Amino acid sequence: MTFFAAAISIVTSANAVAQQPAAVPHSPGKPYAAKGIPDRVVLTAGADPATSMAVAWRTDVRQTEAVAEIAPAVDGPSIAYFAKPVVGRSLDLATDNGPSRYHHARFEGLTPDTAYLYRVKGAEGWSEWLQFRTAASAAKPFTFLYFGDTQNGILPIGSRVIRQAFLNTAAPALAVHAGDLVAQRDDLIHDDEWGEWNQAGGYAFSMIPQLPATGNHEYVDDVQPDGSELRRLGPHWAASFSLPGNGAPGAETTTYFTDYQGVRFIVLDGTSALDLGTLDRQTQWLDATLAASTADWNVVLFHQPIFTCARPNDTAELKAAWKPIFDKHDVDLVLQGHDHCYSRLTAEQGASDGRARRASGAAQGPVYLVSVVGKKMYGLNDRAMIQPDKVAEDTELYQVFTVTPQTIGFRAYTASGKLYDSFDLTRTADGKKRLVEQTEGLLPLRACKGAVGPDGAPCTASVKD
């Protein structure tokens, strides 16, 4: 679906989708109505982020056009002198916080590995000038962040993890989100949830490209006259992100890929695959997109995990369709959410088998990761202590990847910045991958002991059945 088609869809369906029962509360004391000054400014990468970036932002309806300006990152205050206008598209979204207008602008023809400044317009003035850097046109070392579900307690609880990640990581180039950025059916008026998510990331979301995947909570359950329910993508998604639009047929609004300095990031939509009939088309697109990749590394991002750490059963349909593709193309990392626990899995047969294979010199296949940012926690399932290499329960984390053409370094940190898990994935001269676990300075296993959580407070992880 093109951006324009998505915009039409949102305008025509906003009133039907956005309203929620009166019992759902507003975020206390935090007004999230649209205003004359731009807010919810989110930078996203183009398919080729060496030459293309995009931005989405929100204003009140007095701002009739999507107008941005871009300039080279000069070292003095005369930025406006060098600025060039960029006109994009706008779409209206009615919410429980009143009418709003979202705008998208795309910056094309940029110079690789170059710093730029941009600002976006509202009826009462411009945003501040915001700086970003385009990707290099070839492989070059960089760092990116990975976040699991934020979803619940976004601003009071989850924001700490997001902010600590950006504060404690030197110059991250990207941030990826494995779905359920918001709850939509749980805690707050839905527009307030998006307000809290944007406030949690603040200026970091507007200066560092974000690569989001949809979760099931980005979808709305529409009750039909016969009482059945259908899934429909909530209108905030296409409004909040200006994504490449190069994804799978039938899921172009939520699937895409981008190539960043030697890494191909491929984003899938598990909810659309499972509930909206796009599994086969996404699988074919995934296979073709991996086959066409010339990147040093291939990273796949989606919500529902192939191997679960909380639920009784793995996600069988996705596992049957996508795992053979990951194996066929020797995918390097599979980043997921949904389970509200932490898991790193390197061998389906179990952690002991994986370590034995590595000790014998066997090549490492895809590494499957699950993590969580927000306050909702699920208890570990009965396989969690034997199948994954490392797990955590009742624990918020963020993850940092440091990429070079030969190595991906991985570090998982708790909310307070303590190192919890660590490995290096290295490609040797024979083209095979070796995974080396780092053990020095790691926190021990974090899991509930009966009713007591790992911090000594009551365990908040509920059983997921």
Side-chain angles (χ1 to χ4, degrees), residues 227-305:
S228 63
E229 292 184 350
L230 295 177
R231 285 283 175 88
R232 179 148 48 102
L233 183 65
H236 281 78
W237 180 264
S240 298
F241 305 110
S242 183
L243 300 174
N246 57 359
E252 296 94 339
T253 305
T254 56
T255 63
Y256 58 97
F257 72 89
T258 184
D259 293 323
Y260 197 97
Q261 293 182 188
V263 178
R264 172 158 286 191
F265 292 91
I266 300 173
V267 181
L268 299 169
D269 183 348
T271 305
S272 177
L274 293 168
D275 297 340
L276 298 180
T278 66
L279 178 60
D280 289 345
R281 283 171 286 175
Q282 287 195 55
T283 303
Q284 293 168 16
W285 174 79
L286 171 67
D287 191 13
T289 304
L290 285 167
S293 175
T294 59
D296 296 319
W297 306 98
N298 291 292
V299 176
V300 182
L301 173 73
F302 56 93
H303 185 60
Q304 292 88 346

Side-chain angles (χ1 to χ4, degrees), residues 76-348:
S78 301
I79 304 166
Y81 177 82
F82 300 95
K84 294 181 179 181
V86 177
V87 177
R89 298 186 183 274
S90 302
L91 54 145
D92 289 347
L93 182 60
T95 76
D96 292 277
N97 284 315
S100 63
R101 183 162 289 145
Y102 281 79
H103 311 275
H104 290 194
R106 191 167 293 278
F107 307 125
E108 303 281 7
L110 305 178
T111 302
D113 204 4
T114 300
Y116 287 90
L117 294 159
Y118 77 93
R119 63 179 180 176
V120 295
K121 194 174 188 304
E124 294 180 8
W126 294 89
S127 70
E128 67 271 41
W129 287 102
L130 298 156
Q131 185 164 312
F132 68 85
R133 190 172 195 89
T134 54
S137 57
K140 182 180 179 180
F142 72 99
T143 298
F144 73 93
L145 301 173
Y146 152 49
F147 299 108
D149 301 30
T150 312
Q151 189 176 346
N152 299 91
I154 299 169
L155 189 61
I157 302 295
S159 64
R160 174 176 70 131
V161 184
I162 293 170
R163 293 169 184 175
Q164 286 297 111
F166 285 110
L167 281 170
N168 293 345
T169 305
L174 293 170
V176 307
H177 303 262
D180 281 5
L181 285 61
V182 294
Q184 186 136 271
R185 299 188 294 277
D186 292 348
D187 293 346
L188 297 172
I189 293 297
H190 187 47
D191 192 62
D192 284 8
E193 295 173 343
W194 280 103
E196 289 202 352
W197 185 81
N198 280 271
Q199 188 176 346
Y203 68 84
F205 286 177
S206 62
M207 297 175 70
I208 298 166
Q210 307 297 303
L211 304 184
T214 46
N216 53 298
H217 281 268
E218 272 72 58
Y219 281 80
V220 180
D221 293 330
D222 281 340
V223 180
Q224 304 302 297
D226 63 359
S228 63
E229 292 184 350
L230 295 177
R231 285 283 175 88
R232 179 148 48 102
L233 183 65
H236 281 78
W237 180 264
S240 298
F241 305 110
S242 183
L243 300 174
N246 57 359
E252 296 94 339
T253 305
T254 56
T255 63
Y256 58 97
F257 72 89
T258 184
D259 293 323
Y260 197 97
Q261 293 182 188
V263 178
R264 172 158 286 191
F265 292 91
I266 300 173
V267 181
L268 299 169
D269 183 348
T271 305
S272 177
L274 293 168
D275 297 340
L276 298 180
T278 66
L279 178 60
D280 289 345
R281 283 171 286 175
Q282 287 195 55
T283 303
Q284 293 168 16
W285 174 79
L286 171 67
D287 191 13
T289 304
L290 285 167
S293 175
T294 59
D296 296 319
W297 306 98
N298 291 292
V299 176
V300 182
L301 173 73
F302 56 93
H303 185 60
Q304 292 88 346
I306 298 296
F307 300 104
T308 64
C309 52
R311 296 162 203 272
N313 299 307
D314 294 336
T315 312
E317 291 179 73
L318 300 186
K319 185 177 181 180
W322 292 349
K323 184 180 181 298
I325 305 297
F326 300 154
D327 293 337
K328 171 184 174 182
H329 295 287
D330 196 21
V331 163
D332 302 297
L333 301 170
V334 181
L335 310 181
Q336 308 144 109
H338 196 51
D339 267 11
H340 298 266
C341 50
Y342 176 79
S343 170
R344 168 171 58 91
L345 186 145
T346 56
E348 183 173 8

